Amino acid sequence: MDMSKYMTFDATYEEYDSMDDDTHMSSFKEARSIKVFIYGKDMFIRNENDGTVVTAQTYLTLEAVKPKDKINGQVIKSVNKYPESWNSDNILYEAYTWDT
């Protein structure tokens, strides 16, 4: 199955490069545009004292994204990989981001 036809959005992708030992700030390679399909939701999470809204986004792409990389300014927290089809070498990447 050709999943590329479903990648209808453009996203800014920055690959993680390294972390500075002194400042603990991450550095990233030059940003580039990749094709993705985006979906997500806002969740209200309440604990015993207060609550917060978490914005969770999922990005489907055929690009080899990894945790710690950035997509649309958000750090990728988790990535699932799926074969695009049973007889293909292409991989579909499902990248998760969330902000509080």
Side-chain angles (χ1 to χ4, degrees), residues 7 9 16 21 31-32 36 42 46 57-58 68 78 86-87 99:
M7 307 300 153
F9 301 97
Y16 175 81
D21 290 333
R32 62 187 176 94
V36 298
D42 292 339
R46 180 184 300 272
Q57 296 289 319
T58 303
K68 293 187 181 181
S78 175
W86 298 116
N87 58 356
D99 280 341

Side-chain angles (χ1 to χ4, degrees), residues 17-91:
D17 190 29
S18 63
M19 180 181 287
D20 185 286
D21 290 333
D22 295 328
T23 63
H24 295 280
M25 297 291 293
S26 297
S27 64
F28 298 89
K29 296 181 180 176
E30 186 174 335
R32 62 187 176 94
S33 181
I34 62 172
K35 298 300 275 183
V36 298
F37 182 79
I38 305 170
Y39 63 94
K41 62 182 176 180
D42 292 339
M43 298 176 287
F44 180 71
I45 300 173
R46 180 184 300 272
N47 62 23
E48 59 192 43
N49 297 323
D50 58 358
T52 186
V53 174
V54 175
T55 300
Q57 296 289 319
T58 303
Y59 297 86
L60 299 176
T61 184
L62 296 172
E63 299 284 333
V65 298
K66 303 174 299 302
K68 293 187 181 181
D69 294 347
K70 276 188 181 179
I71 193 163
N72 282 351
Q74 294 182 317
V75 176
I76 297 173
K77 306 285 198 303
S78 175
V79 176
N80 291 325
K81 301 177 203 175
Y82 306 101
E84 188 182 21
S85 66
W86 298 116
N87 58 356
S88 173
D89 291 334
N90 291 336
I91 302 292

